Structure formats: C-alpha cells, structure tokens
Amino acid sequence: MFGPPGVGKGTYAKLLSSKFHIPHISTGEIARDEISSGTPLGLAVKDLIASGQLLSDDVVTALVKERFKRGDVLRGFIMDGYPRTAPQAKSFDSYLGERGWKLDAVVNIKVDEEEIINRIVKRFTCPKCHAIYNIEYWPPKHSGKCDVCGGDLIKRSDESDTAIRKRLEVYHDVTEPVLAYYKAAGVVKDMSGTGGGVEENFGKLLQLLEK
Ligand SMILES: [Zn+2]
C-alpha cells in the first residue's frame, strides 16, 4: 500500500489482511514494538519520529527483516509504510528476489493534500491498543477514551499540523521516487482515496486487484 501519510494505507491494509488471511506488515507497528520494549533501536526510532524525520534506510530495513523471520509471510503479505525510499525499494526487491518472490501490486492511494492535513490533525490514538480515532469522522463513544480498551487517547507528536506538513514535504522529496521505480516495473495501480467511505473505496480496491 503506497501513498502519502494520512491516506488510509493502514486501514485498507487491515481490511485486506482479514479478507485474505495474510499479515499486514506496518513498519510503524514494528517500530512501536521496539520503542515500547526500550531497545536502542527503539530509542533512536522514537527521536526521529518525534522530529518528523524519516528513519534511515538501514534502520527500517533492519526492522522489516526482523519481521520477515516469522513464518506467516509465506502465503503472502501486505506492506504498509515500506519501502518508502528508492534505496529501500531496491533492497526490498533483492531481499524478496533471494526468496524467489516479487510484489504483485503497488497500490498508489491518491488523496488531496489539504484533506490529508485535515484528517491527520483531527486524529487521536490509543497508546495501549493503537486504535485510531478521528474527532470528525469516527469519534470515540466517550470523549477522550478508547472504545476498545478504555485507554486515554493521545495526540501523537508526529500528527500536529507542523509535523504533518513536514512529513508531506519529506514524502515528495524522498518517497515519491519509489513510485517511479515501481512504475518502471509495471506493478503500480492507482486508486482514489477520496469520495466514498472506507467500505466503498475498499470495494474499488478489490476490483482493482482482481485486474
Ligand atoms: Zn485502546
């Protein structure tokens, strides 16, 4: 799943994961595990995220390789948030190539930039179970409390207005070249993330993948 932050990559990846029973691999989630375990890698990751920067290619690839040691990837997998630089795409390709695997599709989700900013600044996260809420689109039942586990919702430091604008800038500079790389390989499928609700867009995504 490909696209700028805030387009719903994680949401669609989760839906695909439960429909096809293959793992949803989010570098964000692997990183959060490292952070909460307080490993040196986790601490470095925490500082970088707080300042709105991308993690170094080496750090991210180390996280992904750690995840790929688990056997659940053998029937397929959905990547969310990786690869997000051209060097990462190249190392991921050669990593997959060593196993005789390749990516079937790179779904490029397109959403208007002001809408992205609007979505992210209204987003709140549960630090316990990582459920995500949006005060406008999908608010929690009880203000400030997680529906799932009752935890206190927080505003992530990388989701302020300033941080998200910085992340979009970094996306254009560093991540967009990944799209050119996969376009050359002929695997990119464009999808609109605007308009219909999540369910309707997910229906379109399934049609796109059937092709
Ligand atoms: Zn929760």
Side-chain angles (χ1 to χ4, degrees):
M1 301 305 295
F2 190 86
V7 295
K9 294 188 293 288
T11 304
Y12 298 116
K14 278 194 185 76
L15 290 169
L16 286 172
S17 169
S18 51
K19 184 167 177 68
F20 295 106
H21 309 288
I22 56 177
H24 163 206
I25 299 181
S26 147
T27 46
E29 222 154 274
I30 310 170
R32 279 192 289 276
D33 286 348
E34 292 287 319
I35 290 170
S36 60
S37 309
T39 64
L41 184 60
L43 294 175
V45 164
K46 189 179 182 179
D47 285 347
L48 289 166
I49 289 176
S51 58
Q53 291 179 56
L54 287 177
L55 307 181
S56 79
D57 292 333
D58 288 347
V59 169
V60 181
T61 299
L63 289 169
V64 169
K65 286 186 176 174
E66 199 57 41
R67 179 61 183 81
F68 268 72
K69 285 178 184 165
R70 285 160 60 179
D72 61 352
V73 297
L74 293 173
R75 287 182 55 247
F77 48 84
I78 304 149
M79 302 307 294
D80 164 17
Y82 180 91
R84 63 165 84 183
T85 69
Q88 285 174 20
K90 282 171 195 156
S91 32
F92 191 46
D93 256 10
S94 59
Y95 183 72
L96 294 178
E98 285 165 21
R99 286 157 184 74
W101 298 349
K102 63 175 180 58
L103 294 181
D104 294 315
V106 173
V107 178
N108 178 34
I109 309 176
K110 295 175 158 184
V111 174
D112 172 76
E113 208 139 286
E114 285 307 312
E115 191 182 328
I116 291 173
I117 293 165
N118 189 37
R119 281 185 193 181
I120 293 186
V121 296
K122 290 177 179 163
R123 189 189 273 182
F124 289 83
T125 307
C126 173
K128 282 192 196 163
C129 73
H130 307 305
I132 292 167
Y133 299 88
N134 182 296
I135 50 171
E136 186 177 337
Y137 303 111
W138 52 94
K141 287 194 188 92
H142 304 285
S143 176
K145 295 282 181 191
C146 176
D147 292 350
V148 181
C149 73
D152 291 319
L153 301 182
I154 55 154
K155 184 84 205 144
R156 274 170 49 185
S157 55
D158 61 333
E159 292 183 341
S160 68
D161 187 78
T162 317
I164 183 57
R165 285 178 196 277
K166 171 72 183 158
R167 283 167 70 196
L168 284 169
E169 216 173 277
V170 172
Y171 171 79
H172 290 304
D173 292 346
V174 184
T175 305
E176 257 175 0
V178 172
L179 203 55
Y181 177 82
Y182 286 121
K183 272 186 178 155
V187 289
V188 174
K189 294 173 186 292
D190 290 320
M191 166 189 165
S192 167
T194 325
V198 168
E199 256 174 60
E200 188 185 331
N201 288 340
F202 184 59
K204 286 189 215 156
L205 171 60
L206 293 177
Q207 285 175 2
L208 193 67
L209 292 176
E210 276 168 16
K211 287 181 195 163

